[in-house]
Amino acid sequence: MENELDIGELIKKGGVIFNAKGETPAELYKIIAESQPLPEYLSSEMLYTELMQREELISTAVGNGLALPHPRYPLLKNEDEQRIIVCYPKKAISMEAPDPKPVFVFFTILSSTSKVHLKILSRLAYLIQNKEFCDILAGKPSADFLADAVNRILPPEDKRF
């Protein structure tokens, strides 16, 4: 990769959706897709369809009230368009998670390459196993607060990639 990426900056770029009124993953994915200014070549309908197709394969709920929705393959063409959209539904949503906990936060990943996508997943997997980070998520923080937490919690070698 030519430029370094930062998980906190990707969260800031995608932003946070608070109190989303969807009651199902489909309703939330529609809200998420329509919340974003997307490049001309990617419509919110296409993003929604891709998120739903991925969800139909197997739930993106990972347990502990978290889900990591993402398209099956990168949809973005340019590195500077990449982002992580954080969404807090108004009411936690029951999904097919490995535990019985309903999902209260969604980290939607939009990337331009499979390599970046996997690196983002690996960093998020580390973060969501961290008790401090999970405690922070329970408070439904802003993008700036989350970015600061990411930079504080991730090991120095994993902050940028």
Side-chain angles (χ1 to χ4, degrees), residues 116-140:
V116 169
H117 178 80
L118 293 172
K119 285 184 177 187
I120 292 170
L121 279 174
S122 115
R123 274 27 173 227
L124 288 174
Y126 177 88
L127 287 165
I128 64 178
Q129 293 178 57
N130 180 283
K131 183 178 179 347
E132 178 187 358
F133 190 73
C134 290
D135 289 346
I136 289 168
L137 288 176
K140 300 183 177 184

Side-chain angles (χ1 to χ4, degrees), residues 2 7 16 22 25 27 30-31 34 41 43 49 59-60 75 78 84 86 104-105 112 115 123 131 143 148 156:
E2 294 134 15
I7 295 290
V16 174
E27 290 173 356
K30 186 131 184 95
I31 291 166
E34 291 174 352
Y41 59 85
S43 69
T49 298
S59 177
T60 57
L75 296 178
N78 301 307
I84 299 170
V86 180
F104 74 94
V105 62
S112 63
K115 183 177 180 179
R123 274 27 173 227
K131 183 178 179 347
D148 289 343

Side-chain angles (χ1 to χ4, degrees), residues 79-147:
E79 190 175 281
D80 65 346
E81 298 168 336
Q82 300 177 118
R83 65 197 78 172
I84 299 170
I85 307 146
V86 180
C87 179
Y88 304 112
K90 187 171 185 168
K91 181 181 177 195
I93 295 178
S94 181
M95 295 176 68
E96 295 177 21
D99 62 18
K101 295 180 183 176
V103 175
F104 74 94
V105 62
F106 291 75
F107 286 89
T108 303
I109 303 165
L110 299 181
S111 61
S112 63
T113 68
S114 295
K115 183 177 180 179
V116 169
H117 178 80
L118 293 172
K119 285 184 177 187
I120 292 170
L121 279 174
S122 115
R123 274 27 173 227
L124 288 174
Y126 177 88
L127 287 165
I128 64 178
Q129 293 178 57
N130 180 283
K131 183 178 179 347
E132 178 187 358
F133 190 73
C134 290
D135 289 346
I136 289 168
L137 288 176
K140 300 183 177 184
S142 69
D144 287 335
F145 196 93
L146 268 177

Side-chain angles (χ1 to χ4, degrees), residues 2-90:
E2 294 134 15
N3 301 321
E4 289 187 340
L5 292 174
D6 175 297
I7 295 290
E9 290 303 314
L10 292 174
I11 290 171
K12 286 182 182 180
K13 179 149 188 159
V16 174
I17 303 167
F18 293 97
N19 298 316
K21 293 184 178 155
E23 296 182 12
T24 65
E27 290 173 356
L28 274 181
Y29 295 162
K30 186 131 184 95
I31 291 166
I32 290 167
E34 291 174 352
S35 77
Q36 293 297 297
L38 297 168
E40 286 184 17
Y41 59 85
L42 179 61
S43 69
S44 60
E45 293 83 13
M46 179 187 284
L47 174 56
Y48 168 76
T49 298
E50 293 296 331
L51 291 173
M52 286 304 301
Q53 286 178 351
R54 170 58 186 85
E55 193 67 37
E56 289 169 4
L57 291 174
I58 190 168
S59 177
T60 57
V62 294
N64 208 25
L66 298 115
L68 305 175
H70 55 275
R72 292 176 297 156
Y73 55 89
L75 296 178
L76 302 175
K77 294 179 181 177
N78 301 307
E79 190 175 281
D80 65 346
E81 298 168 336
Q82 300 177 118
R83 65 197 78 172
I84 299 170
I85 307 146
V86 180
C87 179
Y88 304 112
K90 187 171 185 168

